[in-house]
Amino acid sequence: MSKPTSESGEERLIARYFKPLATHPGAFGLVDDAAAIAPPAGCDLVLKTDGVIAGVHFFADDPPDTVAKKVLRMNLSDLVAKGARPLGFLLAVALPQGTGEAWLSSFARGLREDAELFGCPLLGGDTDRTPGPISVSVTAFGAVPHGTMVRRAGAKPGDRVVVSGTIGDAALGLALRRDPAAAQRWGLARDQQEHLKSRYLVPQPRNAIAEILRAHVSAGMDVSDGLAGDLAKLCRASGVAAEIVCADVPLSDAARAALAKDPALIETIVAGGDDYEVLATVPANKVAALRQQASAAGVAVTEIGKVVAGQGAHFLGADGKPLTLAHPSFSHF
């Protein structure tokens, strides 16, 4: 006969799936009401929160481990763009009735893998039931040397605009999920299709260049709502404008192949969102050093335009004429 236990179902769920992720001593094994951490000496805390909802940010049938990785990496991407190294994160998850052990086990496994990979342990959080779809929110904590956080404000006329990695893959991957027949129209090979879909499922935060960014850039942010929209936000914060040459925007082989078949996809590429790459402005005399150091760290950085006086983010199409975007940025509202 089993012994009675005073633990609630929530406590058992936390102990089984999330306590193994709470490796920081300040998490107290998730048995307290809060965590306690101290920033490294001489550093500022950098705080970021972002979340995902089934049917909005991911498909309900996406693998649970990729959902966990996506929501954590979204937050890590923001920390990187601020020049911060991760310290830990809080997790709030709301689960519909009937969410099974298999879903939770896979979700926790993905979260644990990334917590270990990026050195970002779980510090605490909350678990709830919801009558709606699955909702997951992460609040991430990072650290930068005092006064050195990279901000959106700071770009100046004459600076160059750069991005990491490639742009547009995730937006095209989402388009493929919604319309599988597009793969044939775009002439994509199987590996190209999988590349685009994987970039939508699991972002690739550029942690390796956080410190490099602090040393070189004048302003920066990550690209989550689309290159065009996020660059416009940076320009507004800095009180400047930017001119971007679409032909210089770095594309994967898959995105380039799709664009060659359907030139109208340039809007999806530059405005679609979910890239989670770094967007930054850099004084002209620092671009070469930034690119060289980033390359040595395994991250490609590409110059795509320049900062000028004025307002707004302006894109020049393949014909050299201004590109008019019907929907320049993703927005929930």
Side-chain angles (χ1 to χ4, degrees):
M1 188 174 182
S2 62
K3 295 181 180 180
T5 175
S6 60
E7 282 188 323
S8 67
E10 182 178 10
E11 288 174 312
R12 290 192 295 273
L13 182 152
I14 291 169
R16 179 170 184 179
Y17 294 108
F18 300 122
K19 184 176 180 179
L21 285 68
T23 57
H24 192 290
F28 307 118
L30 303 187
V31 299
D32 216 308
D33 295 320
I37 64 172
C43 288
D44 296 330
L45 279 178
V46 179
L47 314 177
K48 171 62 186 179
T49 187
D50 214 338
V52 295
I53 301 170
V56 179
H57 304 93
F58 66 94
F59 289 85
D61 60 351
D62 281 349
D65 60 329
T66 68
V67 175
K69 292 184 176 186
K70 181 168 190 172
V71 68
L72 180 56
R73 292 181 184 208
M74 288 163 56
N75 285 271
L76 291 174
S77 180
D78 272 301
L79 293 185
V80 169
K82 301 296 101 181
R85 68 177 179 87
L87 298 177
F89 71 99
L90 301 174
L91 171 73
V93 57
L95 303 170
Q97 188 73 35
T99 304
E101 295 284 325
W103 196 97
L104 277 167
S105 179
S106 176
F107 178 85
R109 182 179 67 253
L111 205 58
R112 180 173 63 251
E113 289 173 355
D114 268 10
E116 294 173 354
L117 176 64
F118 295 108
C120 189
L122 177 64
L123 297 172
D126 186 43
T127 54
D128 283 304
R129 284 292 185 198
T130 175
I134 292 172
S135 173
V136 186
S137 181
V138 162
T139 299
F141 301 82
V144 296
H146 180 65
T148 65
M149 188 187 85
V150 177
R151 297 181 58 196
R152 292 183 185 181
K156 296 177 174 60
D159 287 353
R160 301 303 189 256
V161 181
V162 302
V163 293
S164 66
T166 56
I167 298 297
D169 291 335
L172 294 175
L174 173 59
L176 283 177
R177 290 288 298 276
R178 289 174 169 167
D179 179 16
Q184 184 174 2
R185 297 197 305 272
W186 300 345
L188 298 180
R190 176 70 63 179
D191 62 330
Q192 292 175 322
Q193 298 174 47
E194 294 307 313
H195 169 78
L196 297 178
K197 291 176 183 178
S198 70
R199 288 278 282 161
Y200 172 72
L201 277 175
V202 183
Q204 301 296 325
R206 306 303 182 179
N207 291 57
I209 63 171
E211 184 176 349
I212 298 168
L213 294 172
R214 291 202 314 270
H216 296 290
V217 310
S218 55
M221 61 186 295
D222 85 328
V223 182
S224 55
D225 293 334
L227 175 62
D230 286 331
L231 179 58
K233 296 172 190 173
L234 188 151
C235 287
R236 284 194 294 273
S238 294
V240 296
E243 295 179 349
I244 305 301
V245 179
C246 286
D248 292 338
V249 174
L251 305 180
S252 66
D253 289 342
R256 197 173 300 279
L259 183 63
K261 288 286 189 178
D262 184 357
L265 286 174
I266 189 61
E267 177 158 350
T268 301
I269 288 169
V270 301
D274 268 3
D275 296 292
Y276 299 105
E277 295 289 355
V278 174
L279 165 67
T281 60
V282 190
N285 63 353
K286 291 187 175 185
V287 173
L290 169 65
R291 295 187 64 187
Q292 182 180 23
Q293 292 174 28
S295 178
V299 179
V301 170
T302 304
E303 181 178 336
I304 61 171
K306 61 183 179 181
V307 178
V308 296
Q311 297 180 347
H314 309 288
F315 286 72
L316 299 178
D319 56 2
K321 296 180 180 179
L323 183 67
T324 300
L325 300 172
H327 303 285
S329 179
F330 173 81
S331 175
H332 288 291
F333 304 101

